[in-house]
Amino acid sequence: LEGIWCDCLAFDPSGQYLALGQNKDDTGFSVWIYRTNNWDAEPHRIWIDCAAETALRMSQNHAKPEDGARAIAFSPDGRQLAVGTRHGRFHVFSWVNGASSHLYTLDPHPGVEVERIEYARDGKTIFVQSMGHQLRVIREGKLDMPGSLAELKIEDVAVSPTEDAIFVINSQPPRSDRQVQRYEISDLD
């Protein structure tokens, strides 16, 4: 993989595939998926077109007009791949037997870089953290903002692999000491 540049990467749960998310192209960007048992084989490419959005940002003299992958994650069963972008967009693709197809796109953090993506054990609930310290929840393709998380300033998030809970580091005053908090996924309202 020498000479390959990327901004984010993730293994699928089986370890058979490694996805690399790239950045900075005027018309779009790629996610390259490699088979780990044959690094020399041609990787699968997912192209994400963002030419219209980039042109709009360029006309507005945006400091960073190009979009690109900033966070990437496979679902626990390895059948979905989620990609978060520099400009806050979130794409989900099916991933079956080395082939992909687009499922949906959401804007959980318009204009704010997606920093982290975590799937819950059920594979249907996805947590998307932004650079703006907000956490959005996507349940079965629909965007949700639980009230219990709305006022938090989230520094990091982790989903438990053994229970239906998330852990967040909250630095929202008066909790400026970056306290770890635990939430049951089913209790998020």
Side-chain angles (χ1 to χ4, degrees):
L1 299 177
E2 265 184 60
I4 296 173
W5 57 270
C6 69
D7 289 303
C8 53
L9 54 102
F11 280 100
D12 80 315
S14 72
Q16 292 180 333
Y17 297 99
L18 175 65
L20 306 176
Q22 295 185 325
N23 210 359
K24 292 195 178 186
D25 187 309
D26 289 343
T27 60
F29 60 92
S30 297
V31 174
W32 298 95
I33 304 173
Y34 289 84
R35 288 185 176 275
T36 58
N37 65 353
N38 187 356
W39 295 108
D40 295 326
E42 186 70 26
H44 178 79
R45 180 183 187 200
I46 298 174
W47 174 252
I48 300 174
D49 186 341
C50 58
E53 294 90 349
T54 299
L56 176 64
R57 286 188 199 93
M58 289 176 90
S59 73
Q60 296 170 339
N61 295 320
H62 196 280
K64 295 181 180 178
E66 302 93 355
D67 207 353
R70 301 304 290 157
I72 197 166
F74 281 95
S75 62
D77 64 4
R79 297 177 63 87
Q80 287 186 0
L81 177 69
V83 180
T85 74
R86 169 183 277 172
H87 293 295
R89 219 168 240 167
F90 181 77
H91 305 272
V92 177
F93 299 87
S94 69
W95 177 249
V96 181
N97 298 324
S100 66
S101 64
H102 184 262
L103 295 176
Y104 59 89
T105 298
L106 296 172
D107 286 318
H109 305 281
V112 181
E113 187 172 306
V114 172
E115 190 172 59
R116 187 176 182 116
I117 301 167
E118 290 274 341
Y119 273 88
R121 288 188 322 162
D122 66 8
K124 297 175 185 176
T125 305
I126 308 169
F127 298 91
V128 182
Q129 180 191 354
S130 75
M131 291 288 285
H133 305 288
Q134 290 186 325
L135 186 67
R136 297 288 192 259
V137 181
I138 298 169
R139 292 185 171 120
E140 299 188 21
K142 294 184 175 74
L143 188 59
D144 187 16
M145 181 57 202
S148 53
L149 299 175
E151 299 302 317
L152 302 182
K153 183 177 179 185
I154 295 175
E155 300 294 332
D156 205 358
V157 61
V159 177
S160 172
T162 59
E163 58 183 323
D164 292 325
I166 64 166
F167 293 78
V168 299
I169 299 173
N170 178 21
S171 65
Q172 181 68 26
R175 290 190 170 97
S176 59
D177 59 349
R178 296 178 180 248
Q179 193 173 60
V180 176
Q181 294 172 274
R182 180 184 183 281
Y183 293 89
E184 290 286 330
I185 293 172
S186 61
D187 292 342
L188 295 174
D189 56 359

